[in-house]
Amino acid sequence: MKNLKIAYCLPALYSMGGMERVLVMKANYFAQRGYEVHIIITDGGDKPSYFTLDNSVVVHQLNIDFEEVNSHSFLRRFLLYKKKMRLFKYSLNECLCKILPDITISMLRRDVNLLNKMTDGSLKIGELHVSRLNFRHFRAPFLPLSIYNYIRKQWINAAIKELRHLSKFVVLTHEDAISWSELDNVVVIPNPTPFFPDSVSDCSQKKIVAVGRYVELKGFDKLITAWRKVVDKNPDWILKIYGDGEMRESLQQQIKTLNLTKNCFLEHAVSDIVAKYLESSIFVLTSRTEGFGMVIVEAMACGLPVVSFACPCGPRDIISNGIDGFLVEVGDIDGLVEKLDFLIENQKYRKEFGHMARFNASKYKIESIGELWVELFESLLYERRVNV
């Protein structure tokens, strides 16, 4: 189906975010397959895409500039946002009617509120890059919790009304799919791994690695607490955590308080994270929640066994417990320590788990994930043809 036209909608491409990276990977894959791929954005002006796009992918800049809204007072912000949404609705419809795509995909930002109102005739798909638990969260510390929860509930209900009318709603994990019980159009397609290196770790270095932002959600405070117990039994092992964020200072203080300055290191985020995986022997994740957990797949692709909290959502879908890693209940420090100690003390199992991790991670290659999308596109287009 080489003449297939696909249009993606999202705010901007200049960010180095995970959603943007995954979108560019898929757009390039489909373009190289011979599809005509369009990306419609509203913000960022003439800033280039952070990730390299195939030359054949067409980017349409609507120049709505929703980012401008944030620079105004609350009342002005509200009125300006309404005005920009009206302009967005008109401009998006005009753009889609010119492209006439077969399929239009929303990345579940503000465009999902408009997608079902478009008149271009394309099939409409929504894809979510966080779990329901983290969907449509917003920061409003000035609001009482009851009011915050009420507003968020209404906002999610409004989204569900729109999602119900899409041809398909794609989520990243089976665990998350269960939480959307109001919908009967949910499909699970995970994200592709951004790399699958030729080299793998030999799991022989006395080094454990963790990756993520230094924020409460990632649970590095729990990891550091657990690491104190691990070091008591294995003083020659080190832990390196790669990331940046608001909790760096408090985490560093925790390391000092627990006398771990020679065994635990807070490193800055690096561009070549593959090299850091390859020089490590175990990957650990202690998040309180995840949207998917791409860092798990990345580490497994580099041949690392994984010890992870079984947080919602992602680890349960990715890790085969006792085969390529271990799942531990969220917050179970002693359980985490036990599994880390086991892999540290049993090199044979560490290497076997790492081998299986690499093998199981292969299903997240872009070629495999891209084919799941192709199957979805073809099935939807077939259904439309037979139902005409």
Side-chain angles (χ1 to χ4, degrees), residues 63-64 82-92:
N63 281 313
I64 308 298
K82 289 289 188 182
K83 178 181 179 181
K84 286 184 177 292
M85 281 299 289
R86 289 193 295 271
L87 176 60
F88 184 25
K89 179 180 178 181
Y90 171 81
S91 300
L92 179 59

Side-chain angles (χ1 to χ4, degrees), residues 4 7 18 45 63 103 156 176 224 262 364 374:
L4 186 67
N63 281 313
I103 293 170
I156 290 176
D176 192 43
I224 293 168
K262 294 181 180 179
Y364 296 100
V374 169

Side-chain angles (χ1 to χ4, degrees), residues 48-300:
S49 172
Y50 183 88
F51 302 99
T52 304
L53 279 166
D54 187 278
N55 290 333
S56 67
V57 176
V58 182
V59 178
H60 304 262
Q61 173 58 272
L62 301 185
N63 281 313
I64 308 298
D65 194 13
F66 283 100
E67 293 171 352
E68 179 200 358
V69 173
N70 297 326
S71 63
H72 294 274
S73 63
F74 179 78
L75 179 59
R76 173 64 178 154
R77 190 183 304 176
F78 176 78
L79 296 173
L80 185 58
Y81 183 80
K82 289 289 188 182
K83 178 181 179 181
K84 286 184 177 292
M85 281 299 289
R86 289 193 295 271
L87 176 60
F88 184 25
K89 179 180 178 181
Y90 171 81
S91 300
L92 179 59
N93 195 61
E94 184 180 46
C95 185
L96 287 173
C97 286
K98 285 181 180 177
I99 298 170
L100 291 178
D102 299 293
I103 293 170
T104 302
I105 304 172
S106 164
M107 306 301 281
L108 270 292
R109 301 300 293 273
R110 57 181 66 89
D111 46 77
V112 73
N113 300 313
L114 307 175
L115 214 57
N116 292 310
K117 301 175 180 67
M118 299 295 101
T119 60
D120 61 294
S122 63
L123 295 168
K124 306 298 191 297
I125 297 175
E127 61 172 279
L128 186 62
H129 285 260
V130 297
S131 67
R132 177 163 183 164
L133 192 64
N134 296 312
F135 181 55
R136 292 202 160 176
H137 265 301
F138 60 95
R139 288 194 171 192
F142 54 88
L143 285 177
L145 184 60
S146 59
I147 295 177
Y148 171 87
N149 288 335
Y150 175 79
I151 293 173
R152 182 168 178 258
K153 182 178 180 181
Q154 296 305 310
W155 199 16
I156 290 176
N157 287 341
I160 288 172
K161 288 180 182 178
E162 298 296 338
L163 296 173
R164 190 174 282 125
H165 295 291
L166 298 177
S167 296
K168 289 295 178 182
F169 172 46
V170 180
V171 298
L172 296 175
T173 68
H174 292 89
E175 185 179 2
D176 192 43
I178 294 170
S179 70
W180 295 95
S181 57
E182 308 95 331
L183 303 174
D184 60 6
N185 58 348
V186 180
V187 175
V188 177
I189 302 180
N191 279 336
T193 177
F195 48 74
F196 199 82
D198 295 330
S199 300
V200 296
S201 168
D202 64 5
C203 298
S204 66
Q205 301 300 310
K206 295 181 178 182
K207 187 184 297 184
I208 293 178
V209 64
V211 178
R213 291 172 294 123
Y214 296 149
V215 294
E216 184 180 8
L217 204 64
K218 296 301 179 181
F220 291 135
D221 55 323
K222 299 288 188 182
L223 175 56
I224 293 168
T225 298
W227 189 242
R228 176 65 269 173
K229 296 185 177 184
V230 174
V231 168
D232 286 342
K233 289 184 67 177
N234 306 279
D236 51 346
W237 277 69
I238 65 170
L239 168 66
K240 289 197 172 185
I241 308 173
Y242 291 89
D244 288 298
E246 61 199 40
M247 287 185 66
R248 171 181 283 276
E249 188 175 332
S250 63
L251 293 174
Q252 189 62 55
Q253 184 56 52
Q254 184 183 5
I255 289 169
K256 290 179 181 178
T257 301
L258 294 175
N259 194 25
L260 285 169
T261 53
K262 294 181 180 179
N263 299 84
C264 184
F265 303 93
L266 299 183
E267 306 285 355
H268 289 285
V270 295
S271 57
D272 186 14
I273 193 62
V274 173
K276 306 307 177 184
Y277 288 135
L278 295 180
E279 67 185 30
S280 305
S281 295
I282 301 169
F283 178 81
V284 60
L285 184 136
T286 50
S287 296
R288 291 171 166 91
T289 67
E290 280 287 344
F292 175 59
M294 179 51 69
V295 288
I296 299 175
V297 178
E298 291 177 359
M300 289 171 64

